[in-house]
Amino acid sequence: MSLWVDKYRPKDLSKLDYHKDQAENLKKLTQRGDFPHLLVYGPSGAGKKTRIMCILKDLYGPGVERLRMEQLNFTTPSKKKLEIMTVSSNYHIEINPSDVGIYDRVVVMDLIKNVAQTQQLDVNGQREFKVIVLTDVDDLSKDAQHALRRTMEKYIANCRLILSANSTSRLTPAIRSRCLGIRVSAPTITEIVTILQGVCKREGLNLPTELAQRIAEKSNRNLRRAILMCEACKVEQYPFSANQNIAEPDWLLFIRAIARKISQEQSINTLASVRGDLYELIIHGIPNTIIFQTLVSELVKNCDITLKATIISQAALFEHRLQHGNKAIFHLEAFVAKYMYLYKKFLEDTIGDAF
Amino acid sequence: MDSFLKSGKLGTSIGDKTSQLNNEGVKKKKSVPWVEKYRPRTVSDIVEQTEAVHVLEQCIAGADLPNLLFYGPPGTGKTSTILAAARQLFGDMYRDRILELNASDERGIQVIRDKVKTFAQLTASAVRHDGKSCPPFKVIILDEADSLTNAAQAALRRTMEKESKTTRFCLICNYVSRIIEPLTSRCTKFQFKPLDESKILERLKLICQEEKLQVNDEVLNVLVKTSGGDMRRATTCLQSCSVLKGKDATVSMHDVYEITGVVPDQWVTDYISVCKENIYSKLEEFIESFILEAYTAAQFLKQVNEVIVNTDEFTDKRKAVIGEKLGTVSYRLQDGGSEYIQLLDLGCAIMIEYSKKT
Amino acid sequence: MQRGSNKWISFGIDLKASKPKESVSNGVNGKDQQSARKVKNKTRPNLNLIDKLKPVHVDDLSVHVKKVKEVSTWLEQNVCCDQTGSAILLLTGPTGAGKTATINVLCKSLNISIREWINPIDQEIEGVYTQAQYSRFIEFFSLGKYVSLCQDSMSKQVLLIEDFPNFLIHNPEQFVDVLEKCTERNLSVIFICTDASNSKIDFLQTLFPQEVKEKYFITNINFNPVSATLIKSALKRAQQVIRTFSEEYKSLSADVIDAIVVSAMGDIRSAVNQFMFACLRGVGNIPLELNETTSKKRKRNEKSSAVKFMQRDEILGFFHALGRVLNPKHGDNALKKLEYDFDSLIDQFATQPSNFNAFLQENYLKYFGDLNDVRKAAEIMSTAQSFLANWSERHEIMLYALWIAVLGLMIYNEHKVSKWTQIKGPTKLKQLSNSTEVCDLKRTDYFYYNLITGTNKFHTFKPY
């Protein structure tokens, strides 16, 4: 069975629901001979992937939709064997280099070289280049980004890159300047509501506007999540009712529970048990940044403005450290400990003032 | 993947022909990056960098060329200068007499040893093929030299001295501080300053004329402004605009903003005024929606900085406090920090400064 | 040991049941003839005491009886009986746990001959030599079938490999060939693998991963460090041997023996070496050092001493040092100065700073008694970690990170919790790889996949 998210994904640039001007520009772009490297960026659930697939379809026709999943093997100079999942068609290949962690450089270089050295000689002769789609490039190591910029120039004759990233701030300026940036901002609440209703209509369901509105607001303008929420609502209860329960992501509730625990009791024991919870989140693949952000925004809720500012500046410090290396727990824990300390002091002070 | 890779070799004879035809067709269409196309051809074409131009002109007139070290921000014409000079010096033999190494080429100590040394050891005659005289040396251009490893730089030091009879080096870098002392002392240093806005504007107008592009002056001004004295950036942006809009279309203000990644001023002023209100939840909300718009945070910070520096609302001392935070936040962002938390941090700092005032 | 050995003997192996005390004297008596000869030869100064002290008898072994039994049972079942098929035994344990001695003694008593591989001292040119070594090593196994002429053809034979050839470090995969050969030729092989402190030469990990152990039915017997009582009784036995040579050796006081036992830290070989040195005539009383490390298990007030300069190299084992950092002892003076030799402490971990940091991080919470202390410690750990992450290629900076972490944890631990807690290894954070089926979904959306499909394909976080 396929999820609504996949089922109702627009397949053509002209069928996109929002950012229509941009779609038009993209269409023009695909028709020209000098297709540049692209950098598609925007928050998650804004439709980057959908746009990339549409662009590919425009470039090569329906052939790109015949996808294969394959496992590619690479060998690092230190003889370590790496495996990475790829999705590919005859015209393009998609990988997420951050799957291989610190070896992303090797994989990216190897892949581009491989692809670039085999020239596209398609019978239809649509394009003289193939496309490599790299997702989550903001997780690429500095090393890999450095390697990428030269490779991009060197093999431009035979292959083009389409990079997809959540934000451009982690990309080196060198990469940014070599690509044509396509900004994909998140759809507005109204756009999401319209899309949800459109989807439900095609499913033959009746979606009350209030519910659609609520889902859109809860989704944090993440279209993918909104559609998933909507489908989950349908599974839970149909016919819909305007005020039915919308399931929020489990990890979000989980992090909220952690935050509650922290504000209830500031002690070493709590810290130890929070550590266990954080481990659980990390092990099950919730990105560190998301853990940190959610935790921070939950924790500052019951502080006064001065304390908020202090906590945010501490958070900024530890969050930055967290981006390096693979030991996020050190910094998460340091932040939690710091918060506990500050918050406890704050509570003691306010109680002291009261008397 | 295999078939994906192989498909290139699958071409039948018929396929070959068509694709060849096709290739030719495409090749005609294929455009050279405008940066290359409009690179200055002679040293005298180069604007602004008077010192370096003067020395190079002397050299073309017959004087000896010292080892050079060009440094300065990107897009100020460092590479263009040396390439133009070399072209004038060596004429047709330009390709033989020059070794250009890019930073992103493999450039460990091994490459310095092998490539540079072998090239440096070739002899160079003082006569051109056509009988004219030319300088009896070769030029090795090390672009982006600041990313050479220290070991490689050290290896270079010796080579530079040993081969000084027949070889001149030209190091090009953004930050002279990343070049080791022994190397800088062996070179004549020239600082390249950011280009004047009027000069860039002039050049862009020329390009528009050549490419038959409809751009009005206002839009060009925005382009120039956002480039910050970087000629290459201005040119690339202009080209990107034209690529995105297709042939014969007019480039609008909106397109320039989109391409250059400039955040509309509205966001910046809103950010400041939200901070002024001193309500945390509003700031949080604002930042959330800002991130959903996917604007480039680094660019945003740049613009915020401009506003803060120029505002009358803060004393210099307060500005310094905010400025320090801005610097920290901007570094962390570039280094991978989360936009959400870092922007919040900055917002809080501005907020505190505002509340102190009252 | 004494009691156990009786039991063991009652299993009816062809050893005479003898009382432990006698057996000790037996051991000595057995050598009396030899020693008498040597005593006559007084001019000979280099009397090989070490040989004298070697265990000859099963009872002399300073190994826990149960271990000895395990090994001997294996030998009986796989070597003594008419074996069908190969048998591979892997002995593991720290240095000086008595692995080799056990094998030697048992084989002797069971009349099994040992053929041991000893690395040829090769000076071949680089590159060629690994191959040469490899073929020789393989040859060693091939010859295994032919019994040496001088030997009783009836006697059984085992191959002993303690000295692993170097080439295996680089190409551990070739080791499988070796094992294959063993199985093919129905050989009985004993591998002795010492616990390595350095992961690069950790043969146990590289050569004997679990799959290999299972595939070739390798029996693994792990030896523990020799307990203090066993070392002590071994030294007592040695005392008795020494007494017969009272001209050259003096007997030691109980204090000194105790000190040796403590500082040997379960290494019988080191204990014996120290003993020999201590009882040489002409050597003054060896300086003893107050040893604060062993007090953990002992009563607080009981001061134990250790031989100062004869301590085992790895006296500060990894865990030991961890304990020191986590459980710092402040001096009695008002300044509460930490009395440690930090340099040597840091040196202990210099080879693996990030590993050490991970260990500290995993365990420090349990040793802290105050939130503010913990806060400082957590911050310092975070700082140290960011050093490690950012400059991982610069060794000296990694050392700074260590210093920061170690000193930070020790200094900030002002309200120490003094209870014994087990040290845990760092939590493994192996992220579950993306499932192929829903490649397009982000991890943060898996929850909905579960909801929609009504399955439990992915982990669900359960807030409480």
Side-chain angles (χ1 to χ4, degrees):
Chain A
M1 83 161 242
S2 89
L3 299 173
W4 292 358
V5 193
D6 294 326
K7 211 162 150 192
Y8 299 111
R9 189 193 287 278
K11 297 267 165 35
D12 196 281
L13 278 174
S14 54
K15 293 211 181 84
L16 291 176
D17 293 296
Y18 51 97
H19 299 330
K20 295 200 178 196
D21 290 355
Q22 189 187 52
E24 221 163 278
N25 283 340
L26 289 176
K27 188 126 202 155
K28 278 185 209 152
L29 193 66
T30 56
Q31 282 155 3
R32 291 172 54 119
D34 51 349
F35 187 76
H37 296 304
L38 291 187
L39 168 62
V40 182
Y41 62 99
S44 75
K48 298 183 295 290
K49 184 72 189 302
T50 309
R51 274 161 188 75
I52 292 174
M53 286 316 288
C54 289
I55 292 171
L56 288 175
K57 196 187 166 193
D58 239 55
L59 282 173
Y60 299 108
V64 285
E65 279 165 18
R66 283 197 294 276
L67 295 176
R68 292 180 297 271
M69 309 233 347
E70 263 163 304
Q71 195 148 29
L72 272 190
N73 295 311
F74 292 93
T75 320
T76 66
S78 56
K79 295 274 155 49
K80 191 177 153 61
K81 293 217 161 49
L82 300 171
E83 288 179 346
I84 189 167
M85 281 308 296
T86 64
V87 178
S88 63
S89 73
N90 279 337
Y91 309 98
H92 85 287
I93 183 164
E94 180 189 329
I95 62 164
N96 183 348
S98 56
D99 284 353
V100 283
I102 54 166
Y103 300 105
D104 49 2
R105 193 181 76 93
V106 185
V107 171
V108 167
M109 297 278 283
D110 267 21
L111 185 74
I112 296 179
K113 255 182 216 160
N114 270 346
V115 172
Q117 280 162 5
T118 53
Q119 221 182 1
Q120 177 101 323
L121 287 176
D122 189 70
V123 188
N124 302 321
Q126 277 149 319
R127 301 285 160 183
E128 57 173 358
F129 55 83
K130 293 181 185 181
V131 172
I132 299 173
V133 180
L134 300 180
T135 53
D136 288 345
V137 280
D138 32 5
D139 291 338
L140 273 185
S141 63
K142 284 265 137 58
D143 210 17
Q145 292 192 27
H146 210 78
L148 198 56
R149 66 176 190 181
R150 182 69 190 141
T151 330
M152 276 167 101
E153 284 179 344
K154 213 164 168 180
Y155 298 111
I156 194 163
N158 297 335
C159 78
R160 297 290 190 280
L161 294 179
I162 297 183
L163 311 177
S164 144
N166 280 332
S167 84
T168 49
S169 54
R170 277 180 215 169
L171 288 177
T172 59
I175 301 258
R176 262 186 275 167
S177 76
R178 280 169 173 80
C179 300
L180 180 60
I182 306 289
R183 183 173 64 90
V184 184
S185 61
T188 60
I189 303 267
T190 357
E191 279 163 350
I192 295 182
V193 170
T194 326
I195 293 166
L196 286 181
Q197 280 176 328
V199 166
C200 283
K201 210 168 168 188
R202 280 155 82 182
E203 277 284 311
L205 306 172
N206 181 24
L207 178 72
T209 322
E210 293 90 341
L211 183 61
Q213 182 77 24
R214 280 178 57 220
I215 292 176
E217 277 160 17
K218 276 244 160 107
S219 71
N220 209 5
R221 288 173 66 191
N222 180 334
L223 183 58
R224 178 180 43 235
R225 190 171 299 158
I227 296 176
L228 284 167
M229 277 176 161
C230 187
E231 194 176 353
C233 279
K234 190 241 156 189
V235 170
E236 198 171 306
Q237 180 191 343
Y238 188 80
F240 293 119
S241 68
N243 52 1
Q244 81 177 86
N245 176 42
I246 301 168
E248 288 192 84
D250 54 342
W251 53 267
L252 188 66
L253 299 175
F254 190 72
I255 296 178
R256 278 193 193 142
I258 298 176
R260 252 198 323 276
K261 188 154 72 180
I262 295 172
S263 8
Q264 268 160 12
E265 193 197 332
Q266 297 82 41
S267 69
I268 298 179
N269 280 340
T270 322
L271 190 60
S273 94
V274 165
R275 178 198 280 182
D277 296 340
L278 291 175
Y279 271 144
E280 189 179 343
L281 284 167
I282 296 172
I283 288 171
H284 291 97
I286 304 293
N288 296 330
T289 316
I290 290 187
I291 300 177
F292 208 104
Q293 275 180 21
T294 325
L295 200 57
V296 169
S297 60
E298 290 298 321
L299 283 177
V300 292
K301 273 184 182 156
N302 23 9
C303 304
D304 74 344
I305 186 81
T306 342
L307 184 59
K308 271 181 177 141
T310 326
I311 288 170
I312 291 294
S313 80
Q314 288 301 319
L317 173 75
F318 288 116
E319 198 277 337
H320 166 238
R321 286 183 177 175
L322 176 142
Q323 299 301 335
H324 294 283
N326 49 3
K327 297 259 169 64
I329 193 71
F330 278 71
H331 313 298
L332 278 166
E333 189 168 290
F335 171 68
V336 172
K338 184 88 186 182
Y339 174 81
M340 281 185 175
Y341 168 75
L342 289 170
Y343 190 65
K344 198 172 185 184
K345 224 170 111 200
F346 165 71
L347 285 183
E348 281 163 7
D349 287 355
T350 41
I351 290 169
D353 288 349
F355 290 104
Chain B
M1 169 73 192
D2 269 354
S3 59
F4 168 60
L5 287 176
K6 275 178 204 148
S7 66
K9 296 169 191 159
L10 287 177
T12 56
S13 56
I14 308 163
D16 269 342
K17 266 184 195 165
T18 46
S19 63
Q20 258 172 15
L21 285 175
N22 188 55
N23 272 353
E24 277 165 29
V26 177
K27 255 173 203 150
K28 267 175 208 157
K29 266 195 275 169
K30 202 188 214 167
S31 65
V32 190
W34 293 357
V35 185
E36 292 300 327
K37 204 164 162 188
Y38 296 100
R39 223 184 245 292
R41 298 281 144 184
T42 61
V43 174
S44 46
D45 275 354
I46 286 156
V47 285
E48 294 271 325
Q49 323 298 351
T50 37
E51 278 179 10
V53 169
H54 186 71
V55 169
L56 286 171
E57 274 173 343
Q58 295 271 314
C59 174
I60 291 162
D64 192 16
L65 188 73
N67 285 326
L68 298 167
L69 172 64
F70 291 169
Y71 65 98
T76 47
K78 299 181 293 294
T79 316
S80 303
T81 307
I82 188 67
L83 284 180
R87 206 169 276 142
Q88 279 179 289
L89 277 173
F90 303 118
D92 300 340
M93 290 159 66
Y94 155 75
R95 300 227 167 266
D96 304 330
R97 290 292 179 89
I98 275 193
L99 177 70
E100 194 186 350
L101 286 177
N102 245 312
S104 338
D105 297 324
E106 291 291 318
R107 281 211 313 194
I109 185 161
Q110 205 51 43
V111 176
I112 291 297
R113 284 204 182 119
D114 299 349
K115 263 198 177 170
V116 173
K117 272 191 186 164
T118 24
F119 183 77
Q121 281 159 359
L122 296 173
T123 50
S125 76
V127 193
R128 285 197 203 180
H129 295 304
D130 53 8
K132 282 187 210 160
S133 71
C134 79
F137 52 73
K138 308 167 301 274
V139 176
I140 296 180
I141 302 173
L142 289 167
D143 215 339
E144 295 163 55
D146 36 9
S147 62
L148 275 176
T149 58
N150 273 359
Q153 289 190 32
L156 201 56
R157 177 172 67 171
R158 190 79 197 98
T159 320
M160 241 165 144
E161 242 164 33
K162 235 165 69 189
E163 311 298 337
S164 60
K165 264 187 196 158
T166 57
T167 311
R168 297 292 176 274
F169 283 83
C170 179
L171 306 184
I172 296 175
C173 64
N174 293 132
Y175 308 101
V176 74
S177 54
R178 293 213 196 131
I179 307 288
I180 58 170
E181 186 69 12
L183 273 191
T184 53
S185 74
R186 284 173 171 80
C187 299
T188 321
K189 282 177 278 189
F190 293 105
Q191 187 185 3
F192 279 60
K193 294 169 207 76
L195 299 181
D196 198 63
E197 289 187 357
S198 62
K199 293 270 165 47
I200 299 183
L201 189 65
E202 215 172 275
R203 197 82 188 165
L204 287 186
K205 275 185 180 160
L206 180 91
I207 295 174
C208 287
Q209 216 176 352
E210 294 277 317
E211 296 287 333
K212 297 189 183 62
L213 206 64
Q214 306 286 319
V215 190
N216 62 25
D217 282 4
E218 199 188 348
V219 175
L220 277 187
N221 266 325
V222 175
L223 256 179
V224 170
K225 236 194 198 120
T226 53
S227 69
D230 182 341
M231 187 71 201
R232 175 173 3 166
R233 194 159 158 215
T235 320
T236 331
C237 282
L238 190 64
Q239 189 180 16
S240 302
C241 287
S242 90
V243 166
L244 193 62
K245 296 299 280 188
K247 281 248 150 66
D248 310 321
T250 46
V251 177
S252 72
M253 204 71 142
H254 178 76
D255 298 323
V256 174
Y257 276 140
E258 201 58 38
I259 294 293
T260 51
V262 173
V263 182
D265 284 339
Q266 190 58 38
W267 285 97
V268 181
T269 41
D270 281 358
Y271 183 65
I272 304 282
S273 60
V274 161
C275 290
K276 204 171 177 178
E277 277 180 64
N278 203 10
I279 302 170
Y280 178 83
S281 57
K282 278 201 173 170
L283 177 68
E284 201 174 14
E285 221 169 85
F286 173 85
I287 289 171
E288 267 169 27
S289 57
F290 174 79
I291 286 168
L292 287 176
E293 286 304 316
Y295 287 115
T296 309
Q299 176 65 30
F300 180 68
L301 289 184
K302 221 186 230 169
Q303 287 171 259
V304 169
N305 184 34
E306 208 150 289
V307 173
I308 296 284
V309 169
N310 293 324
T311 184
D312 300 326
E313 290 189 79
F314 294 115
T315 59
D316 284 353
K317 207 171 162 190
R318 296 235 157 99
K319 281 183 190 173
V321 175
I322 298 177
E324 192 186 348
K325 194 56 145 190
L326 246 167
T328 322
V329 164
S330 158
Y331 158 69
R332 287 186 190 146
L333 268 179
Q334 170 77 59
D335 210 31
S338 121
E339 293 179 352
Y340 174 76
I341 291 176
Q342 302 301 341
L343 288 181
L344 260 182
D345 189 17
L346 177 63
C348 284
I350 300 178
M351 222 143 121
I352 287 171
E353 293 307 314
Y354 263 117
S355 60
K356 266 188 199 160
K357 226 170 93 178
T358 48
Chain C
M1 159 165 155
Q2 277 81 351
R3 261 190 198 183
S5 61
N6 266 338
K7 232 189 206 167
W8 181 80
I9 284 154
S10 68
F11 262 79
I13 316 299
D14 60 335
L15 284 167
K16 40 182 172 164
S18 55
K19 289 217 164 150
K21 267 204 171 171
E22 287 169 6
S23 88
V24 169
S25 51
N26 271 353
V28 180
N29 286 342
K31 285 179 218 155
D32 263 355
Q33 293 170 342
Q34 290 179 350
S35 50
R37 206 168 57 223
K38 274 183 187 147
V39 172
K40 259 186 226 161
N41 206 353
K42 272 175 209 161
T43 46
R44 197 172 158 186
N46 55 343
L47 167 67
N48 202 350
L49 191 64
I50 267 285
D51 278 346
K52 298 279 150 318
L53 296 180
K54 259 189 191 161
V56 231
H57 221 272
V58 182
D59 297 339
D60 299 342
L61 285 171
S62 295
V63 179
H64 197 275
V65 268
K66 287 217 171 119
K67 287 280 174 236
V68 180
K69 206 185 102 195
E70 271 183 58
V71 179
S72 75
T73 325
W74 185 88
L75 283 172
E76 283 160 35
Q77 287 176 351
N78 293 294
V79 186
C80 293
C81 313
D82 285 331
Q83 82 257 43
T84 49
S86 72
I88 303 174
L89 176 68
L90 171 65
L91 293 185
T92 53
T95 43
K99 299 179 292 293
T100 320
T102 311
I103 292 295
N104 281 332
V105 170
L106 282 177
C107 286
K108 202 167 183 189
S109 69
L110 295 174
N111 199 19
I112 299 168
S113 67
I114 300 176
R115 233 158 54 78
E116 191 179 350
W117 162 262
I118 288 169
N119 276 342
I121 304 161
D122 279 335
Q123 327 67 348
E124 270 98 314
I125 316 100
E126 221 178 306
V128 189
Y129 103 109
T130 44
Q131 204 43 50
Q133 207 183 26
Y134 172 70
S135 51
R136 280 199 212 173
F137 193 55
I138 289 289
E139 206 173 293
F140 171 72
F141 285 97
S142 319
L143 289 172
K145 257 309 183 204
Y146 309 103
V147 179
S148 154
L149 281 176
C150 339
Q151 255 163 3
D152 178 5
S153 57
M154 287 306 288
S155 80
K156 306 287 180 185
Q157 191 184 43
V158 286
L159 304 188
L160 179 67
I161 288 103
E162 189 174 7
D163 208 7
F164 286 89
N166 291 337
F167 73 89
L168 288 175
I169 300 176
H170 304 293
N171 337 305
E173 59 283 353
Q174 286 180 340
F175 187 65
V176 179
D177 302 346
V178 174
L179 290 175
E180 204 60 61
K181 202 133 216 159
C182 299
T183 334
E184 235 170 69
R185 295 176 185 268
N186 296 339
L187 296 174
S188 310
V189 190
I190 299 174
F191 293 100
I192 295 183
C193 219
T194 305
D195 292 350
S197 52
N198 182 345
S199 63
K200 265 184 201 151
I201 52 159
D202 191 352
F203 286 109
L204 189 56
Q205 290 301 322
T206 45
L207 300 184
F208 299 97
Q210 200 55 39
E211 321 75 275
V212 168
K213 276 189 207 165
E214 276 161 19
K215 190 175 173 202
Y216 296 100
F217 304 104
I218 298 176
T219 323
N220 185 0
I221 299 180
N222 187 34
F223 278 62
N224 298 323
V226 185
S227 71
T229 30
L230 284 177
I231 296 190
K232 207 164 177 176
S233 56
L235 290 184
K236 271 187 190 150
R237 186 176 71 89
Q239 278 279 55
Q240 294 189 10
V241 179
I242 286 290
R243 281 198 192 116
T244 51
F245 310 109
S246 50
E247 289 164 52
E248 278 144 73
Y249 300 103
K250 66 185 177 199
S251 51
L252 298 175
S253 68
D255 271 3
V256 178
I257 292 202
D258 276 352
I260 292 174
V261 170
V262 166
S263 51
M265 288 182 61
D267 183 343
I268 183 77
R269 188 183 296 133
S270 135
V272 171
N273 284 339
Q274 286 182 34
F275 173 82
M276 288 215 351
F277 182 73
C279 56
L280 274 180
R281 286 213 181 271
V283 173
N285 285 335
I286 51 174
L288 303 180
E289 182 193 33
L290 215 70
N291 191 345
E292 69 273 339
T293 57
T294 45
S295 55
K296 220 185 250 172
K297 281 184 190 166
R298 291 158 174 263
K299 280 177 203 159
R300 272 288 139 79
N301 51 7
E302 187 188 328
K303 283 185 178 172
S304 65
S305 46
V307 184
K308 193 172 182 184
F309 57 91
M310 300 291 274
Q311 287 181 358
R312 232 177 114 181
D313 281 351
E314 307 105 296
I315 185 145
L316 266 179
F318 190 82
F319 287 94
H320 206 117
L322 265 178
R324 278 201 176 181
V325 176
L326 292 171
N327 209 355
K329 297 240 170 10
H330 296 272
D332 293 333
N333 51 4
L335 288 168
K336 281 197 154 187
K337 216 176 144 197
L338 289 162
E339 291 165 341
Y340 289 105
D341 178 6
F342 289 107
D343 274 324
S344 69
L345 204 59
I346 298 290
D347 269 359
Q348 273 310 307
F349 315 113
T351 47
Q352 36 190 343
S354 53
N355 196 12
F356 181 60
N357 250 21
F359 263 94
L360 284 180
Q361 155 77 13
E362 189 67 36
N363 294 292
Y364 77 97
L365 272 188
K366 284 178 243 149
Y367 292 86
F368 277 67
D370 182 77
L371 186 63
N372 194 18
D373 293 353
V374 166
R375 189 224 359 144
K376 291 181 196 159
E379 279 175 35
I380 214 77
M381 289 307 290
S382 158
T383 312
Q385 185 56 36
S386 66
F387 266 57
L388 286 176
N390 284 333
W391 287 282
S392 49
E393 72 278 11
R394 298 273 304 273
H395 186 67
E396 60 267 45
I397 301 217
M398 310 245 304
L399 284 190
Y400 294 149
L402 262 184
W403 274 100
I404 292 172
V406 166
L407 286 183
L409 282 188
M410 289 172 94
I411 290 167
Y412 289 138
N413 197 354
E414 283 169 21
H415 305 78
K416 198 173 64 187
V417 177
S418 297
K419 64 169 193 259
W420 189 80
T421 8
Q422 193 174 3
I423 285 184
K424 278 204 314 193
T427 308
K428 288 252 162 25
L429 291 181
K430 201 183 168 203
Q431 295 196 351
L432 309 176
S433 58
N434 281 357
S435 160
T436 49
E437 199 185 319
V438 277
C439 214
D440 270 5
L441 281 191
K442 291 267 188 263
R443 173 58 192 95
T444 42
D445 291 325
Y446 283 178
F447 171 65
Y448 291 105
Y449 184 89
N450 277 351
L451 270 191
I452 292 166
T453 53
T455 53
N456 264 329
K457 191 166 159 109
F458 300 107
H459 177 82
T460 313
F461 297 103
K462 290 189 187 65
Y464 17 83

